[in-house]
Amino acid sequence: MSIRIDSAPRVAASSNSQWCIDMGPKRIRACGTPRRAGAGTVRPMQLQGKHILLGMSGGIACYKVAELVRLLGKAGATVQVVMSEGAEAFITPVTMQALSNHRVVTSQWDALEPNNMAHINLSRQADLMLIAPASADMIAKLAQGRADEVLSLTALARPIERCPLLIAPAMNREMWAHPATQRNLAQVQADGARVLGVGTGDQACGEVGDGRMLEAAELLDEVIAHFQPKLLAGKSLLITAGPTFEPIDPVRGITNLSSGKMGFAIARAAAEAGAKVTLVAGPVHLPTPRHVRRIDVQTARQMFDAVMPEVAAHDVFVATAAVADWRPIHASAHKIKKDVSREGKGANATFELTENPDILAAVGHLPSAPLCIGFAAESEKLAEHARAKLVRKKAALIVGNIGPATFGRDDNALLLVDAEGEREIPHNDKLSLARELVREIAKKLQ
Ligand code: C5P
């Protein structure tokens, strides 16, 4: 295959796999070209109807919780804040009340409660208790089952089965690493709480290390994930996502408009459902979903080389990547210069392309292939093309969508095509579609 570059835009293909892409200087999208912003974004109220009991103990990370309360509220949750005396030293109950729109509980001797038992009433209404920040002292109290102030008392008084406890620790790195803290964390986990882990970096004390509280957006994701059914617990998924980039020279390449959003949404939905997830990502500007292991690649061959050794360790392979079918046989070591002597007179450049490996087909044809899910981005005859791919790539399911209608967007509509038939998943945001796909994968794994 060869590509010829002329100054006049023109596209042609011939049967002997010779392509001519004739273009002006900006016709092939190269690295760094802005992608289309997601239009028509659907933002679901993911915590609608959920009642979160938010306990705050003392720590500079209290400032992050102000933002967290806003995010939880925007996601549809009702938030009831309980503050320890230590928390009040860092942020006022007035601030937390204004943000949560609820009276903040700061004392176990709260006479405004009709039965004077705030510690009992609070957890009876809650779907989840989150302690953020959880100081080393608060974690020690929880480990011992102490009840000498309102927050540890409320945590102890909650019905363990109905109102699970999430803990977001925040402390200095030495306090975090101390055997006493680690022992206490092990104890609270043994008692059924989930410890959300900590971040690494600059600390308020000037030191650098582990112990920072997770960011507000990360905590929001953890709360949302908590409420997702664990349909893929014990399973592992390998996912490809995004475009690939095939270099022509050091500054240009062949790529496509895939944003990676669908693949990243599936990775997030699978991790929320309890799966171990490995995400092999082409060049995209998306944050890694929590608890997902990410391998970054650029070209189709790098994606192939990253996927193949991982296959045996995974139960499911989901190929969402828009892998370039072709790559230049020889990428020029130096920038290809235009012929200035022929400028404006129809200058040409020609270079040859060769086929890239088909990753999904390679995995699908392995003797002990995992459950394989592929995507088909088409512009017409969706069901027909999807069914052809199902057979050709030996996939268990092909997810069809209209390519131009999905690339770069936050929403989509899907057509599931498998041996049993076809089923439409109506238009929705990509995370909701991904959760629907997770349900489908769970069914197929049964
Ligand atoms: O053949 P086509 O590119 O239309 O097939 C799309 C499906 O195959 C997607 O699931 C895509 O991730 C996968 N694919 C692949 N390797 C390629 C080309 C496509 O894994 N080289």
Side-chain angles (χ1 to χ4, degrees):
M1 170 177 236
S2 79
I3 285 186
R4 201 177 93 219
I5 304 179
D6 291 350
S7 51
R10 194 171 71 216
V11 179
S14 67
S15 55
N16 62 356
S17 92
Q18 293 262 315
W19 276 19
C20 254
I21 303 181
D22 295 352
M23 59 205 168
K26 288 178 189 149
R27 282 271 156 159
I28 281 185
R29 181 179 162 272
C31 201
T33 303
R35 296 196 171 90
R36 190 154 54 105
T41 305
V42 187
R43 291 196 194 283
M45 296 282 272
Q46 302 201 54
L47 295 173
Q48 190 70 53
K50 299 296 181 203
H51 193 121
I52 312 296
L53 181 53
L54 181 56
M56 301 172 69
S57 55
I60 188 65
C62 282
Y63 80 91
K64 295 185 186 178
V65 181
E67 172 67 4
L68 174 63
V69 171
R70 268 191 64 243
L71 295 177
L72 289 168
K74 275 169 97 174
T78 303
V79 184
Q80 171 64 63
V81 177
V82 181
M83 292 173 79
S84 72
E85 206 181 316
E88 283 189 78
F90 289 90
I91 195 163
T92 67
V94 175
T95 301
M96 300 315 296
Q97 177 172 336
L99 291 169
S100 66
N101 209 18
H102 281 87
R103 199 168 64 81
V104 172
V105 175
T106 55
S107 165
Q108 58 185 310
W109 315 117
D110 188 340
L112 284 175
E113 280 293 309
N115 62 356
N116 224 316
M117 292 186 199
H119 63 287
I120 303 286
N121 306 340
L122 290 173
S123 60
R124 300 306 183 270
Q125 298 153 6
D127 297 299
L128 175 72
M129 181 171 188
L130 167 65
I131 301 188
S135 64
D137 180 54
M138 181 53 59
I139 293 166
K141 282 184 180 197
L142 295 172
Q144 290 180 13
R146 296 181 73 91
D148 55 356
E149 52 74 56
V150 67
L151 186 49
S152 55
L153 171 63
T154 306
L156 191 70
R158 75 186 210 288
I160 291 182
E161 300 297 333
R162 257 213 75 254
C163 180
L165 177 61
L166 299 189
I167 291 176
M171 65 198 75
N172 165 271
R173 67 190 176 109
E174 299 293 357
M175 294 166 78
W176 172 254
H178 198 286
T181 302
Q182 292 302 316
R183 190 171 61 239
N184 290 334
L185 285 165
Q187 185 59 57
V188 293
Q189 289 184 93
D191 292 343
R194 230 186 102 218
V195 177
L196 299 179
V198 290
T200 300
D202 292 338
Q203 303 204 310
C205 52
E207 296 181 4
V208 179
D210 290 342
R212 284 170 59 99
M213 192 178 77
L214 298 180
E215 300 304 318
E218 293 174 312
L219 291 176
L220 174 73
D221 286 354
E222 290 285 359
V223 170
I224 290 170
H226 168 84
F227 290 108
Q228 297 307 312
K230 304 301 168 216
L231 298 172
L232 295 178
K235 302 295 180 194
S236 53
L237 270 77
L238 177 61
I239 300 170
T240 64
T244 62
F245 180 92
E246 312 296 330
I248 294 171
D249 68 19
V251 293
R252 303 185 185 96
I254 299 171
T255 185
N256 58 66
L257 289 171
S258 167
S259 63
K261 286 178 181 173
M262 192 68 222
F264 275 61
I266 295 170
R268 173 176 169 172
E272 285 176 345
K276 189 168 89 56
V277 180
T278 306
L279 177 62
V280 181
V284 293
H285 302 284
L286 292 173
T288 311
R290 286 191 62 67
H291 308 297
V292 167
R293 176 175 154 243
R294 174 170 175 173
I295 303 171
D296 282 316
V297 297
Q298 195 182 40
T299 67
R301 279 183 302 171
Q302 287 168 359
M303 191 172 271
F304 181 87
D305 290 344
V307 164
M308 296 314 279
E310 294 285 342
V311 172
H314 292 82
D315 303 301
V316 183
F317 176 54
V318 187
T320 62
V323 185
D325 290 327
W326 308 93
R327 67 174 182 275
I329 290 185
H330 304 292
S332 170
H334 298 287
K335 186 180 173 190
I336 301 169
K337 306 297 286 180
K338 63 182 175 183
D339 182 354
V340 273
S341 68
R342 293 198 48 81
E343 207 167 22
K345 296 175 194 152
N348 300 330
T350 304
F351 51 94
E352 273 188 293
L353 300 181
T354 186
E355 210 174 341
N356 272 326
D358 188 316
I359 305 165
L360 175 58
V363 175
H365 283 82
L366 287 172
S368 53
L371 182 80
C372 284
I373 319 286
F375 271 69
E378 306 293 343
S379 57
E380 54 153 9
K381 298 184 188 158
L382 192 51
E384 195 182 310
H385 289 308
R387 191 155 295 286
K389 271 172 214 186
L390 189 75
V391 177
R392 203 170 72 241
K393 306 197 184 216
K394 276 188 94 177
L397 172 71
I398 293 287
V399 182
N401 58 157
I402 298 297
T406 174
F407 279 2
R409 293 181 62 105
D410 292 324
D411 51 337
N412 198 5
L414 304 177
L415 179 72
L416 306 190
V417 178
D418 65 9
E420 274 95 65
E422 288 154 28
R423 180 165 80 87
E424 275 179 39
I425 308 184
H427 187 263
N428 212 336
D429 67 281
K430 286 185 174 173
L431 183 57
S432 300
L433 294 173
R435 288 184 182 141
E436 188 72 32
L437 266 181
V438 159
R439 277 191 281 278
E440 194 67 30
I441 291 169
K443 256 195 258 163
K444 289 197 179 298
L445 282 173
Q446 268 169 13

